[in-house]
Amino acid sequence: MKIDEAVKNRILELCTAKNITINKLGTICGITQSTLKNITSGRNGATVLTIKKICDGLDITIADFFNTSIFKKLEQEIE
């Protein structure tokens, strides 16, 4: 798994855990629905600023966002 896919999966996992939709997440975080849909569909990766906004909206730290097994199994992306 690569980083963009891991971020997408983590966002979806957090939405499920908080019982909210992607659209609701956008409203909470001040992120456009199109940005979140692009990230969760795999069209675009998330910026650090976007991840920070998601964390702020969900009242978690960036460390909480990345402290999951999803990120411990990433493939090396240096070619």
Side-chain angles (χ1 to χ4, degrees):
M1 179 180 308
K2 296 198 175 196
I3 187 75
D4 288 346
E5 186 178 356
V7 169
K8 172 187 86 166
N9 289 344
R10 181 63 171 147
I11 291 169
L12 295 173
E13 180 182 86
L14 288 166
C15 284
T16 299
K18 300 277 187 178
N19 197 31
I20 59 173
T21 64
I22 290 296
N23 291 339
K24 178 70 174 175
L25 178 63
T27 301
I28 293 169
C29 301
I31 300 170
T32 64
Q33 293 174 3
S34 62
T35 296
L36 284 172
K37 287 188 189 270
N38 285 338
I39 293 167
T40 57
S41 71
R43 278 182 255 168
N44 293 337
T47 65
V48 174
L49 178 59
T50 301
I51 293 171
K52 175 69 169 117
K53 287 181 179 181
I54 291 168
C55 292
D56 290 347
L58 295 176
D59 198 28
I60 63 172
T61 66
I62 290 178
D64 292 334
F65 184 89
F66 287 108
N67 188 22
T68 181
S69 63
I70 292 172
F71 295 102
K72 295 176 184 168
K73 300 175 186 175
L74 292 178
E75 299 171 18
Q76 185 174 3
E77 296 193 35
I78 298 172
E79 294 181 27

